[in-house]
Amino acid sequence: MSETVIKCESVYKIFGENAKKMLEESNGNVDAKTFQEKGCIVGVNNASFEVAKGEMLVVMGLSGSGKSTLLRCISRLTDATGGKIFIEGQDLLELNNKELIELRRSKMGMVFQSFALLPHKTVVENIAFPLQIKGTKTEESINRAMEMVKLVGLDGRENYFPRELSGGQQQRVGIARSLAVEPDIWFLDEPFSALDPLIRKEMQDEFLRLQEKLQKTIMFITHDFDEALKLADRIAIMKDGIIEQLDTPANIVLNPATEYVRKFTEEVPREKVLIIEDVMDTSSNDNLGDLKVSKDEIIENVAEKILTQEKIVAVVDSGNNIVGSIKPSKIIDTVFGGRKNGS
Amino acid sequence: MEYLKKYPKLFQWLFLLVVFFALCFAIDVPETYKFIRGQAEFVKDPNQSVYFFLGKEVRYYAFDVFWRLPPLLGWLPIWINDSLFFLMNEWMPMEFWNEDTQEFKTRPILLQISRNLTAFMTFLIELIREILLGGLETIVAFTSWDFIDAYPWLELPGLPWTIVAAGAAILSYKLSGKGLALFAGLTMIYISIFGQWKPSMQTLSFILVAAPLSFIFGLGLGIAAYKSKRVEKALYPILLVMQTMPQYAVLVPALVLFGVGDHAAVIITMVVAVPPMILLTILGLRAIPPEVIEAGRMSGCTNWQLMLKVLIPTARRDILIGVNQVIMVCFSMAVISAFIGAKGLGFNLLLALNQLNIGLALEAGLCISLIAILLDKMSLAWANKQTDYFGNLTFFQRNKNVIFFAASFVIGIILAYVGTFIFKGSFNYLFEIPHNKGISTADFWNKGVDWIFDTFFVYIKAFNTWLIQDVLQPMRALYLRMPAVATLVLAVGAGYLIGGIRSALVVAALTLFIALSPWWDRALVTLYMATFGVVISCLIGFTVGTLCFQNKKSAAFMLGVCDIFQTFPSFVYLIPVMMLFGITDTSVLIAVIVYATIPATRYTIEGLRSVPVGLHEAATMSGVNKFQRLTKIEFPLAFPHMMLGLNQTIVFALFMVIIGAFIGTEDLGQYILKALSDKNGAGIGLTLGICVAFIGLIFDNLIRTWVEKRKKHLGIA
Ligand SMILES: Nc1ncnc2c1ncn2[C@@H]1O[C@H](COP(=O)(O)OP(=O)(O)OP(=O)(O)O)[C@@H](O)[C@H]1O
Ligand SMILES: [Mg+2]
């Protein structure tokens, strides 16, 4: 992979009075239960991972599992109780106030779970706010903000106040605001959960298109597995502050690291996750039909084609060399088999 | 037994009442007891008991301790007095450079601080006053008297009233629009034509110094308290006491510290106006969702930017209520501080009231109220102002307000100049209409009052007599008949039943302070007047509020009326009642009722409004009729908020009762008024003020604790 942008080394965040002392005493073995008995709440527990440039890491987990807290640590909205965080090689916790502000002004954007718009500012003022804080001229910042208003499809409402917008519209303002400064690193805390399914899909597509163009480094929180699959390069699954598994979507579904992850991914439609390569038969087979499918196709997309074949289907790589084969019955197994033993 | 289990609280309350009345009947009034007058009046009498504390001699008449506690705190006022005197005149003498005499002089530090503060305040007030009215103090402040003698033309000329009126209208237009501009213009013209210009501008200059300073200090301290728990802890008790402390009471110590005049009035006004501002600032800042703050941080705000651009604007609603309070208090104090020599409308108002010239009082009162409403609306409009980025305005459009003002400035000066020719030898009415040389409707009002008196005298008198003889006197006697111990038991018992041990202890301490002061009887009289006022106010307020709530429009209208009435300085309420009932307890009580009905009505409407709409609909769907909905759903849910209204009603009532001393009552307020003219009054005034504040705090504590519990119970905490 290319260069690392975000790097966490055993990051802990524990809420409570003498959290720091307790963490030191525990030698890194933090047990949420024992901490809770002593009046501390564990938000993030020993998180270590890296995010590469241009990569999109999706963080999932039940409510209260510490997703937002992890994001807050990395943006240093709260100081991590222990561990190290590097942003583009810089030690985040070593930055002084001024450097931190500079970093946020130039590199970071964040979309908040509850929108967090400024109630006294109109849509366009809200979006222009980070620019104005940076000291951009009023006219320039308003022009730029108007571009963003158009981008998120709110033209005509630029002079509305947040209280006059629906939840979905407010969230779009939040997204536009976080993009106004063109950040390299983009944190999104459940950005689409307030949107209705139609707009959500539209926004997701828009989001992917943007990402293709802008190639930002993204950490994205969601509750929706479909969304995660659609967007993620890699997925992190959290439980009680611990990152249970961090891997590509396919690996998480095929090889769950823990019982919890298995349960979590049980209901996931496999055909949406897996690609042909994951399920093909690599032993050579001569009895192949005419149809060839790429090994990188997601099963869902080619399932219909394969299922209409009577013969075994050849799998090819990008150079059109045959690398394996797949039986139509295997597709049926994959789609329905995974769920059968689950429920 | 079954009932006992079902309603345990009810029986506990009944038991408390039984104990209370038993005590009342068991303890007799001592034969030699003289109500009110018999207590420590600082006359020597061989029958008095004496004790010494901290070197102070306290004399008092001893009675059965169950009946009245001895004034064990009698030394406190004397002690406060002596301490103040010591601080001002002897504590930490230091060398200070004296500009005038060009030499060092030894002075106690506090005296020096007070002098500097005084000079600073005086300068600010004079500056604004002289811009509005003309004068030479400001120039002198920068140079010297010799200089002004040499160049007498340097004296500030003052603005012609036409310019000020036009300026006010244009500013209002810029801030809000035509409506406010019209109101501003008419107000100014009214003031001028009715010959109230000079006192009005004096008052205005006082307000324009006091209000912004109070705002800034309140906001600053509020922010400090928001940021640091320690500051908050230190401020909190002071804030609590100051909230229920009658404004009169702070006058006296200020008199000692800062002397007489406008500057002292400004400082005192700040002392009174800053606490509510602090409280509301803290409240507003606390209510900001944490994610909004985080959004500000992520936008790269420095701490300052975060405070100015995110925190304060987001907390705007509460801060604005704070501003409204500041303005309200400032105008209230503008009148009250006439007692310590502040010039302006307040002084005229008091003078007119003293001479029973209701007409004049009415005119001055109207002026104050109009200016108060104007400033209130202007500050509100200013805070809500929006920028238009897309207007694509021409130079003229963008600067039209400035141009208009410049034009009216020139026109005003020309008019004033022309005026010198038209009104040769008399007053230049186009420059400034002198006091009492304008139109006056005072005679009309006075005649009206006379007419009312002549026509309805019989009825008014009959009503008055009936009220005093058949209602007030017996009620007063009943209150005074309460033995100290019985009152204590009642208060502490109520505290315990409502809020457990903690409340009981707080209430006990507060009550004991009053009981151990030399003014227990007077506190009871204050209490009786306040109770009477509160009961009637609540009856009216809750009824009116409930009725108005039935219709959205009338509710909004009533809230608007409350807003306006609340902006009237408290003294103004005395005018119409004195008009009708003269100098009697009835007057005071009616003023109390009118004044205290405002919060009662407001909180009733707000409380009913805060009942979630969903519940309404759910109730309507389940086939509940309007009346049932009101009694079964809306009242229970709105009740906690309405109780907070009761709390405010009590505070308002207490304030007015104390102010009523001006008309002549026999309660604590009367003593505060007396202390104003007493050389050693500071300690007495302050202690009395604390007593009144504590009466308010007792109820405050009980009501708040109850409301909190109730809210938790209803799940709307
Ligand atoms: N400021 C705080 N003080 C104390 N505890 C906190 C604080 N913020 C979060 N927590 C706790 O940390 C844990 C993780 O919270 P977090 O907000 O990160 O959850 P989340 O995964 O984002 O949940 P959701 O999906 O509901 O947003 C929770 O148990 C929460 O109670
Ligand atoms: Mg969250």
Side-chain angles (χ1 to χ4, degrees), chain A residues 72 75 77 101 104-105 108 110 112-114 116-120 122 125 129-130 133 138 142 159 161 177, chain B residues 289 291-303 305-306 309-310 313-314 316 386-390:
Chain A
R72 288 200 165 86
S75 54
L77 285 171
I101 285 171
R104 284 177 180 157
R105 282 183 182 180
M108 288 181 173
M110 186 154 175
F112 289 85
Q113 195 169 355
S114 58
L117 301 179
L118 300 175
H120 62 287
T122 59
E125 285 171 329
F129 182 71
I133 286 298
T138 310
I142 293 293
N159 282 330
F161 282 96
R177 175 176 67 186
Chain B
E291 285 209 334
V292 170
I293 303 174
E294 290 180 340
R297 285 200 185 286
M298 281 313 284
S299 303
C301 287
T302 58
N303 282 343
Q305 284 175 322
L306 194 69
K309 303 203 164 163
V310 178
T314 307
R316 203 180 44 168
Q386 249 185 286
T387 333
D388 181 9
Y389 297 100
F390 308 104

Side-chain angles (χ1 to χ4, degrees), chain A residues 13-16 36 40-44 59-72 78 113 189-190 221-223 238 240-241, chain B residues 290-291 294:
Chain A
K13 176 69 201 183
I14 295 161
F15 299 101
Q36 192 152 24
C40 285
I41 297 172
V42 179
V44 175
V59 184
M60 298 195 66
L62 298 180
S63 198
S65 56
K67 306 180 296 290
S68 301
T69 309
L70 179 64
L71 224 59
R72 288 200 165 86
T78 61
Q113 195 169 355
D189 194 345
E190 299 189 26
I221 295 181
T222 179
H223 276 280
M238 291 186 74
D240 298 338
Chain B
E291 285 209 334
E294 290 180 340

Side-chain angles (χ1 to χ4, degrees), chain B residues 369-516:
Chain B
S369 306
L370 283 176
I371 301 177
I373 294 170
L374 180 61
L375 282 193
D376 186 43
K377 295 265 178 269
M378 276 168 92
S379 63
L380 209 74
W382 175 64
N384 284 324
K385 194 158 171 47
Q386 249 185 286
T387 333
D388 181 9
Y389 297 100
F390 308 104
N392 226 351
L393 302 172
T394 59
F395 174 81
F396 172 73
Q397 279 169 322
R398 253 180 293 141
N399 296 301
K400 67 176 174 196
N401 292 317
V402 179
I403 295 172
F404 273 129
F405 183 69
S408 49
F409 192 87
V410 174
I411 295 174
I413 287 179
I414 295 173
L415 277 179
Y417 185 69
V418 171
T420 53
F421 296 106
I422 303 176
F423 305 108
K424 259 198 187 116
S426 76
F427 301 106
N428 183 352
Y429 287 103
L430 289 175
F431 182 66
E432 182 191 320
I433 299 171
H435 186 40
N436 292 345
K437 288 289 179 292
I439 307 169
S440 177
T441 47
D443 280 341
F444 169 76
W445 292 110
N446 286 341
K447 287 212 180 87
V449 173
D450 288 345
W451 180 79
I452 292 177
F453 243 88
D454 291 343
T455 322
F456 298 108
F457 180 74
V458 200
Y459 311 105
I460 292 179
K461 178 134 196 256
F463 174 71
N464 215 345
T465 323
W466 168 77
L467 192 70
I468 290 177
Q469 282 187 351
D470 293 337
V471 183
L472 298 182
Q473 294 285 10
M475 194 171 159
R476 188 183 132 114
L478 275 180
Y479 267 74
L480 282 170
R481 175 66 183 73
M482 288 197 294
V485 168
T487 322
L488 260 174
V489 167
L490 185 66
V492 175
Y496 182 73
L497 288 184
I498 289 175
I501 280 290
R502 223 187 113 91
S503 269
L505 284 179
V506 172
V507 170
L510 296 175
T511 319
L512 260 182
F513 182 91
I514 306 170
L516 290 177

Side-chain angles (χ1 to χ4, degrees), chain B residues 111-130:
Chain B
L111 187 64
Q112 180 68 18
I113 292 175
S114 143
R115 288 285 156 86
N116 287 343
L117 212 59
T118 301
F120 175 66
M121 292 295 172
T122 313
F123 171 74
L124 283 183
I125 299 170
E126 285 300 333
L127 176 67
I128 296 181
R129 194 164 284 179
E130 293 184 354

